[in-house]
Structure formats: C-alpha cells, structure tokens
Amino acid sequence: MTFSPDLAALRFGCGLSPALAPPATPEALLAGLDGPDAMSARFPIEDFTAFSEQIAAARAVRETAKNRKDKIENQRVLRRSLTAARNRWHLQRLLRWTWSETPLRERLTAFWADHFTVMGKSSIMLSGALPYEQSAIRPHVAGRFADLLIAVTTHPMMLHYLDQSASVGPGSRLARGRADGRGLNENLAREVLELHTLGVDGPYTQDDVRQLAELFTGLTYTAAKGFAFQPRRAEPGAETVLGKSYGGDPARLEPVLDTLRDLAVHPATARHIARKLAVHFVSDAPDPALVDHVTARYLETGGDLMAVYGALIEHPAAWAAGPANIKPPLDYVASACRALAVPPERLAALEPRRARRLLIDPLAKMGQPLFRPRGPDGWAEEDAAWITPQAVSARLLWALSAPSALRPDLPEPRSFVDTTLGAFATEPVRFAAASAESRADAVGLVLSAPAFQRR
Amino acid sequence: MSPTLNRRAFLSRSALVGCSLAASPLLTRVSFAAAPWEGRLVVIILRGGMDGLDVVQPHGAPEFAALRQGLSAGPAGGAVDLDGFFALHPALSPLMPLWRAGDLGFVHAVSTPYRDKRSHFDGQDLLEAGTSSLEGVRDGWLNRMLTLLPGVEARTAFAIGQGEMKLLAGPAPVADWSPDADLAISSQALRLADLVMQEDPALHAALAEATMLSADGDAATGKARPHVRIADFAAEQLRGETRVASFSINGWDTHNRQDRALSRALERLGDTILALRDGVGPEIWQKTAIIAMTEFGRTVRVNGTGGTDHGTGGAMVLAGGAIRGGRVYGDWPGLAEADLYDRRDLMPTGDVRAPAAWIMRALTGLDRTALDGTVFPGLDMGRDPGLLL
C-alpha cells in the first residue's frame, strides 16, 4: 500500500515507456499539470472555434451551389474532409499518450471528457468530439470543477448532444410567437443533476429537473458564433432549484452560471466526483476511506481539482497492490503505443485507410467504437463490461498484428517485457516472450499479459 | 501442431485450456441450463432508415407510380406481386418461397414514436431503447424483456457482430460475439496467450470462451460474406441454448441511386434470412420468429439524385416458421397528399413496437402488462394482430 514508480505510471499515467522514466515521487505525478501543455503544442488538435469556422466556411460554399447535385457533392467533400480530420486528431491523441511527460493530464482529459460525454448526432458534428475536448475539457482539468462544469454546460457540443438547443420555454417570446409545438426539453438539466453533479442518488426531485430545465432555456448556439444566450427562448420568471431561487426577468445568463457554481460545490457533488475518481483510477470497489478522504478535500477547497487529485494520490488505499482496473480499449491501444514508443513520423506516414484498420476499427471490435459512446453516462467503469470473449479476442488479435506495423523495428522481446511491465513482469510472460514463434508474437503476448491489460 | 489445426479439437486435447473451460461461467452454465422457453427470437436492426415503400411497394395505390418515378416500378418493373396491392422489391425475390409457405410477412406504415428531427442517431437510439423519449434511459427493450423471464443465463441471448446492440444493453446477462473476432492465430500463439492469461481468472475465462466460439479452421478462412457468417453463427447458437439473437444490417441510407444501393442491402437481408433458415434446420425454424426493423422510413417522393431522404412511416419484415406470414399487416394510410405525414412521409398508423410486443408475448408467454409496462413502457399494444401461428 505504498507508492511505487511503476504502479504510478500504470495507474495514474499512460503506462510504462522505454523512452520516458516513470514518476519518481507522488509529487512528480502532479508536477507540470498546471504548467504549459507541451503535448497540445507538439501534437495539435483543432480547437472548437476553428472546427466551427471550417464548417461555416463549407456551408457558405454549399449555399452558393446551383443545384442539388452540386450541394450533395459539396456536402460529401466536407464530410470526407472532416472524417479524415477526426481520424488524424485521434492519432494525435495517441501520440500525446505515447510521448507525454505529464501523462496524468492525458488520463484526466479522458476522464473528464467521459464524465461530460458528448456525441455529435450528425455526420458533421460527429467530428466535434476532440475539438470539444481540446477547448472545453483540457484547459480546465487542473482548475476548479465549477469552471469545468460551466465550460461544458455552455458548450455547443453539449447543447447539441443533450438537446438543449431545441429547448424553448413554454412561456417564452419564441414559443408564444409560433405554433409549431416547440417546448421544454429536460434532457440536459436531468443529466447535469444525475450524471454531472449530484449523482443519481443525489438529493433532487423531478421538480428540480423541471425547474433547472426552465432555467436553462436560452442556452443555445449558432454555427457562426458558437455559444449564445437568447433571452427570447427563455422561460420568464425565477426558478427554484434545490430550494434556492435563481433568475427572474429579464432572463440573463448569470443566474444559470450561479446555479452551476452552487451545484459544483454541493456535498453530493463532492462525494459523486470523489467516488468516480476513485473508481476510475483505483478500483471498481474503492476503499470507502479513500472516497471519504477525497470528498473531504473537495469540500475544504470548494472543488479545487489539483487539491482533489492530491488527496487521491496521497492516500495509501490508492496504492493497493498490483494492477487492478482493466484498461478500456482506447487506453489499451494508447498505452501500447507508449510501450512501443511509436515514432510520430511513423503514424504521420500511415496511409489513412491503413491507420483506420490499425488504430480505429479495432477499437470497435474491442467494444469501444471511436466517437460513439453508448450514452450520456459514458463508457463503462466496471471491468466486466470489457472482459467479454469478443473483446478479449479482439485485443489479442490486435496485439499480435498491429505492433509490427506501428514499429517495424520491433523491440527485442526479453527487454520489452521489462520496459513494458516493469515490476509486474511474471514468469509466464517471460516464458511466453522467449518461446514465441516470432518477434511479433512475443511482443503481442507481452501486450496481452494481465499486467498490461490492467492498471 | 499445425497452425491450421481445428481449434476446438486443439482445445479439447489441451489440458491447459481444459482447466480454464471448467472455470468458465458461460460454458459451465450451458452444460446444464434448462432452456427457459422454446421459441427463438431474432431481432435485426436495419440501420440507416429502410425505404419501406420500395421494399413492399403499394403498386395498387393510384398515386404510387407518379411519386416513384425511377424507383419502385411495381410488377411492371420486376417487383413480385404479393396480394394484388403490394409487390415485393425484386432483390427480395429469393424469399418468395417463404412468402408462399407463410413464413414471410410484413407490417406496413409503422414507426417508432420518434418524430420530425429525422436523425439516425436519435432514431436508432429510440428504436433500441423502446421508449417514447430518450431522456434518462440506460437500457434497451430486449434486455428488459430478459429481466422479466425466468432461467435467463449467459447464453440465452447473443448480441452478434461489431457495434453495440443497445436494445440488449442492461442488467440481464447477454453474450456477445463477432465472427471477425475468430481467433485465427497459430496454435502456438494461442497456447502461450492461454498461459500468459492464466494468472487472471476473468481474462482467462473470456479467452477460453472466445476460443470455443471461434469457428473451426474451414469456416474461419471460408469465403462467406460477413453478414452470412453472422447469420451462420446466430443459427448455430439458436440450435443450442440460445433463445434470442440480435445483430445489425447496415446500408439503408439511400439518398443517392437507391436502385443500386437498396438492392445490395436487400440482398444482404435476404441472404441472412435464408442462412438463418438453413442454419437452424426445419425443426427449430418452426419455432423461430425474425423481426427486422429500422429507425424510420423515407420520403414518399424521389429526390433529385435518384434516392429518398429521411422520413417517418416505414415497414418491418417478419420471417420464420413461427410467423403467420403470407400477408402484409398494418393499417394502410394511403398516399394522397392529405394522407401523408408532414406532406412528405408515409403516415405511420402503427407503432413498430406493437408487433414486436405481440411476438414476444406469443413466444415467451409474458403478459401484456409486462410488455406495455416494462418492455415498452407506455405502449398502446392495440388488439392482437395474430402474427404468430
């Protein structure tokens, strides 16, 4: 139950690397998180503003098209270029996992992007997930939870995914002027309470959901300008959420943000977030003392995330022996890239179709289709969801076949056992690496070891 | 051992894996589980929005020919007349023996409760959730059905193929497998993988199950197309303990050149149904009901690129020896301008969930309140259309 560099790299990092040393101390895990984001600079992913501008420009071209056929052709060109872009961004993300010296930032970005899951519901918006992550999640992972919550709740991707942009106050100016049956949509309000803040067992009622949904009316976005607060969509009057009154006439954005700030520091939110962090990083069934410890720090600091992570990492229960949680497929593949020290120029040189076959299609076979989360509650935390015959087979098939394409100069198997598994190498793995028929098989078997599949 | 060795034979001889099989919850259960009920249910999700009007063509409707120029030409263009009013798309003509035997039927002018936004993502999610709204829903209707039945084991229901089948998501146990996960690797690599995973019981059991589920050498390297491999695998399971199988067939989003695109998708559907029939054998076929359903229908009018756009009312396909086929069910709304939904789509006169509910009722004996209360909450099942024999 004590810190070890190898366990730190697995549990709180992107895995071991032959090129980058694991963190020497618990403090080293957190160091740099609030400093410059070197990986964003080295392996850029478009931010959401640039993404929106690209779509707006393509739409403008389409509007000038003379006939339906040209319009469809323009649309097809846009769709194709966005698909190519989102696949490239995925490779950039893999490279960040491979080469980061602050790997906890990559883990936290993935954690919070999953906590605040979005999915584009059109072929164009489907490409917005990583720009959303880059703009709304990544800059806030070492800040305050309230700022993160506000950034995502007012983000076009979230407003699109959870139908907030379709929600109109029944008594709003917009609804009164029209008879097209548009009205309130509670989807975002419900998920903010159930998933993003208080948790499903939290102290809220259906009436709180309804009131929050009325308060949220007015939150929308436009393709050209991004997020917008439109008072003409807003339900008139004040709303009461968890016993406190917010807003009034005229409708303004500020009361919405006040509500989110209050939700962010609610004790139920503190416990929900603390537990989720412990489940994600440590174990499906975390020690209650660990959850209590993190919850207390959250409440003391009003949701200062650096302090919260510090509480998680300093607690002995966070270092319970041996790799525990199974890595989800994306993390499995990304940490394999790190173990292989995949050279950036190698991924850049991959022909797009090859890249898809190597690094995108296999994720779906392992049960985690890229950019298509199963619902607003994100990917499963329970190990059992990932350990199915189909998924385990897909991992094994990938491990045996993909590395030689990602790194044709495959590492020497016996040293690969040590650089990849470190202190967790076992005799069966050493035996397998030494007796495999080929170097590719040996590398694949090391990547199939339980000590690599778990963290 | 040679790399092409039959995997099941290899494993049955391997003491190493023999141990892991005994530790496998999936396999040990199968060996003594009593089948909870006899009927077999196959649910195929047709992703992309199948154009029901082109599949089951109402050539007897006076407006039809004018609305469908270049498409859906009725019997004059090669479609097979079914009953004097409806005709079957020519690409499904290999299924005509099933129609004549009463093993193939259709329900027309049905839809989910989804309206107006016409998004594939929301439409499919709602079809699989089986609810009237997506808000707060975390499971699928076929899984909710399983939670109500006694004796459901890990292999009672199978989700097959890549991509999550959300209709099977939820608390009831469901097995999953995709024929493209077949462990086509050398026996030496498989033996070493088994050794490496041995220290982790959960991973080890999953690997042992994967090895059992992998096709024998011949089938794994065979030339069968992916959808036929899925159907073959489903049939193999349905011959045993499995009672529910679900998978997807893609390719129905026919905005352009529908004449070509729809034929290809229908050939896949037809091949799949025939492979299921041949695969389960005559005895099980008599107990089998296949439901093929889609997220929405398509526009009544042809668009400017020889296709159709996202619509509302559509058709569902029913097949199997248990089906009272040879007829087109549903309440036909008509195609006059005033009869259309939003003046553009086939008006849905029935809920796509109702026929599914009646079929589940007949196959499993679940009562009506379980179906309209839990499986499809709030559904009005209407009166029994008598879809099963």
Side-chain angles (χ1 to χ4, degrees):
Chain A
M1 305 273 268
T2 51
F3 172 89
S4 89
D6 285 1
L7 187 56
L10 259 62
R11 190 160 286 171
F12 296 101
C14 303
L16 290 167
S17 159
L20 301 164
T25 62
E27 294 71 36
L29 264 174
L30 297 176
L33 264 191
D34 45 6
D37 182 358
M39 285 297 106
S40 282
R42 186 168 167 202
F43 304 114
I45 291 173
E46 197 161 278
D47 69 18
F48 199 82
T49 308
F51 172 74
S52 306
E53 281 164 3
Q54 195 187 333
I55 294 172
R59 288 231 166 95
V61 172
R62 196 175 60 185
E63 290 315 309
T64 63
K66 284 181 215 63
N67 54 45
R68 193 185 152 91
K69 221 166 214 161
D70 286 359
K71 277 189 181 169
I72 286 176
E73 187 49 33
N74 285 342
Q75 180 80 354
R76 190 177 299 166
V77 169
L78 173 63
R79 229 181 272 163
R80 201 170 296 161
S81 93
L82 284 174
T83 304
R86 72 170 181 252
N87 291 348
R88 263 197 325 273
W89 297 330
H90 167 62
L91 301 191
Q92 296 287 69
R93 173 167 58 180
L94 293 177
L95 288 171
R96 292 178 181 185
W97 276 64
T98 307
W99 293 105
S100 179
E101 295 183 44
T102 48
L104 181 55
R105 193 200 305 278
E106 307 310 325
R107 292 289 307 281
L108 291 168
T109 301
F111 172 81
W112 289 115
D114 183 75
H115 183 74
F116 295 110
T117 290
V118 297
M119 186 185 78
K121 298 195 284 189
S122 69
S123 57
I124 287 170
M125 290 296 266
L126 197 60
S127 300
L130 284 176
Y132 157 83
E133 208 172 294
Q134 187 66 26
S135 297
I137 305 281
R138 202 167 171 97
H140 298 290
V141 297
R144 307 189 76 81
F145 180 74
D147 296 329
L148 179 58
L149 179 64
I150 287 171
V152 299
T153 311
T154 57
H155 195 278
M157 279 303 287
M158 187 63 83
L159 301 172
H160 157 80
Y161 177 46
L162 293 179
D163 305 317
Q164 185 59 41
S165 54
S167 184
V168 173
S172 67
R173 269 182 284 149
L174 187 67
R176 276 179 284 144
R178 305 164 60 139
D180 61 0
R182 288 212 281 177
L184 199 65
N185 188 304
E186 295 179 355
N187 208 1
L188 177 64
R190 177 178 309 281
E191 305 304 15
V192 163
L193 294 176
E194 177 186 328
L195 299 175
H196 300 163
T197 62
L198 305 176
V200 68
D201 301 321
Y204 64 94
T205 64
Q206 170 55 34
D207 197 46
D208 290 313
V209 172
R210 167 99 194 171
Q211 295 273 319
L212 187 60
E214 289 184 3
L215 189 65
F216 278 177
T217 51
L219 302 183
T220 188
Y221 68 96
T222 64
K225 292 190 184 150
F227 171 71
F229 182 76
Q230 295 182 349
R232 66 197 173 93
R233 309 167 74 94
E235 181 67 5
E239 279 86 20
T240 303
V241 180
L242 302 183
K244 185 171 165 184
S245 176
Y246 296 92
D249 299 318
R252 291 177 306 122
L253 175 61
E254 200 49 39
V256 175
L257 306 185
D258 287 339
T259 315
L260 293 173
R261 287 185 195 108
D262 287 345
L263 285 170
V265 294
H266 194 285
T269 302
R271 178 154 291 275
H272 180 215
I273 299 298
R275 183 175 160 78
K276 203 164 168 186
L277 281 165
V279 165
H280 182 80
F281 283 97
V282 180
S283 153
D284 284 4
D287 185 337
L290 174 65
V291 178
D292 288 346
H293 182 69
V294 178
T295 305
R297 186 70 52 82
Y298 188 107
L299 288 170
E300 280 157 34
T301 61
D304 175 342
L305 293 175
M306 281 297 272
V308 168
Y309 308 145
L312 181 69
I313 283 166
E314 77 193 8
H315 198 278
W319 302 99
N325 279 339
I326 199 95
K327 295 173 186 167
L330 185 56
D331 301 23
Y332 176 69
V333 166
S335 61
C337 289
R338 189 173 176 94
L340 290 161
V342 172
E345 53 283 7
R346 179 75 199 166
L347 285 200
L350 279 180
E351 189 259 323
R353 190 180 305 175
R354 188 104 197 275
R356 212 181 61 219
R357 279 195 205 133
L358 280 173
L359 296 165
I360 295 174
D361 296 346
L363 294 171
K365 298 183 188 183
M366 298 177 203
Q368 196 179 27
L370 194 60
F371 305 129
R372 291 173 190 271
R374 53 181 196 165
D377 48 345
W379 296 110
E381 292 287 356
E382 322 83 83
D383 294 350
W386 304 112
I387 308 181
T388 71
Q390 179 180 355
V392 170
S393 175
R395 286 175 189 238
L396 178 58
L397 291 172
W398 184 84
L400 291 169
S401 62
S404 49
L406 298 172
R407 245 202 87 168
D409 55 331
L410 280 176
E412 196 284 312
R414 269 165 289 204
S415 66
F416 187 66
V417 173
D418 291 314
T419 60
T420 302
L421 304 179
F424 304 103
T426 60
E427 273 320 305
V429 181
R430 288 188 196 283
F431 175 79
S435 356
E437 289 169 329
S438 65
R439 188 170 278 208
D441 278 4
V443 166
L445 289 162
V446 174
L447 297 178
S448 303
F452 190 78
Q453 307 231 30
R454 296 181 182 271
R455 62 188 176 197
Chain B
M1 279 179 209
S2 91
T4 54
L5 181 78
N6 174 318
R7 250 165 299 282
R8 288 193 185 96
F10 162 61
L11 284 172
S12 61
R13 272 181 259 145
S14 161
L16 255 178
V17 185
C19 297
S20 68
L21 291 187
S24 154
L26 199 66
L27 299 177
T28 46
R29 264 186 220 157
V30 165
S31 55
F32 50 76
W37 68 93
E38 269 304 298
R40 268 61 165 186
L41 176 62
V42 181
V43 182
I44 306 174
I45 302 292
L46 308 172
R47 294 185 195 276
M50 179 180 79
D51 183 19
L53 283 178
D54 204 358
V55 177
V56 182
Q57 305 173 5
H59 68 91
E63 303 87 353
F64 186 65
L67 289 166
R68 287 272 159 163
Q69 283 176 28
L71 280 185
S72 322
V80 190
D81 182 57
L82 294 173
D83 59 4
F85 186 81
F86 291 109
L88 188 62
H89 191 285
L92 279 186
S93 57
L95 296 186
M96 280 310 287
L98 271 65
W99 171 266
R100 286 190 285 268
D103 290 354
L104 177 69
F106 303 92
V107 189
H108 224 316
V110 284
S111 77
T112 70
Y114 184 58
R115 290 293 180 279
D116 300 333
K117 282 183 73 185
R118 301 184 178 88
S119 144
H120 294 299
F121 299 92
D122 285 341
Q124 289 173 26
D125 281 358
L126 201 66
L127 174 69
E128 297 186 71
T131 50
S132 51
S133 147
L134 281 175
E135 219 177 273
V137 180
R138 306 276 184 259
D139 53 8
W141 59 266
L142 202 47
N143 193 285
R144 289 197 298 274
M145 179 196 81
L146 293 170
T147 64
L148 299 174
L149 292 165
V152 170
E153 301 282 355
R155 263 200 189 182
T156 304
F158 248 100
I160 306 170
Q162 273 187 51
E164 193 188 11
M165 300 302 295
K166 288 185 181 171
L167 78 170
L168 273 170
V174 172
D176 71 343
W177 184 251
S178 174
D180 61 12
D182 277 355
L183 279 166
I185 60 178
S186 78
S187 54
Q188 168 77 346
L190 184 58
R191 181 199 294 282
L192 291 171
D194 186 86
L195 172 71
V196 160
M197 290 193 202
Q198 218 172 15
E199 53 199 351
D200 189 319
L203 282 170
H204 196 223
L207 179 67
E209 285 151 22
T211 315
M212 286 297 287
L213 291 167
S214 290
D216 295 351
D218 284 352
T221 55
K223 295 251 185 330
R225 288 181 295 165
H227 60 278
V228 174
R229 289 178 65 190
I230 286 174
D232 287 344
F233 177 82
E236 187 185 337
Q237 304 310 315
L238 292 165
R239 282 200 307 270
E241 302 297 319
T242 298
R243 294 295 176 267
V244 174
S246 186
F247 52 86
S248 306
I249 298 180
N250 298 341
W252 305 92
D253 195 18
T254 50
H255 290 282
N256 307 304
R257 286 301 306 269
Q258 178 165 313
D259 54 341
R260 287 188 307 202
L262 186 62
S263 296
R264 285 196 294 266
L266 286 171
E267 279 159 19
R268 286 196 290 274
L269 176 61
D271 288 350
T272 299
I273 290 172
L274 292 174
L276 282 168
R277 182 196 60 179
D278 297 345
V280 296
E283 191 194 331
I284 304 285
W285 179 249
Q286 290 313 314
K287 303 171 185 168
T288 298
I290 302 167
I291 305 174
M293 59 213 300
T294 191
E295 67 262 34
F296 42 60
R298 306 188 71 83
T299 48
V300 164
R301 293 179 193 83
V302 180
N303 67 20
T305 52
T308 51
D309 297 323
H310 302 179
T312 310
M316 71 196 290
V317 181
L318 308 176
I323 294 285
R324 190 190 306 276
R327 63 190 84 179
V328 179
Y329 294 88
D331 181 8
W332 180 248
L335 291 175
E337 177 90 8
D339 296 329
L340 302 182
Y341 179 80
D342 211 10
R343 306 178 85 83
R344 68 195 288 280
D345 304 338
L346 183 65
M347 176 68 75
T349 55
D351 192 313
V352 75
R353 299 173 297 170
W358 285 111
I359 287 171
M360 285 189 277
R361 172 151 170 67
L363 281 182
T364 67
L366 276 176
D367 66 26
R368 196 167 165 153
T369 55
L371 289 161
D372 64 15
T374 302
V375 179
F376 296 125
L379 170 69
D380 177 4
M381 287 172 62
R383 61 188 168 76
D384 186 356
L387 298 170
L388 292 202
L389 292 168

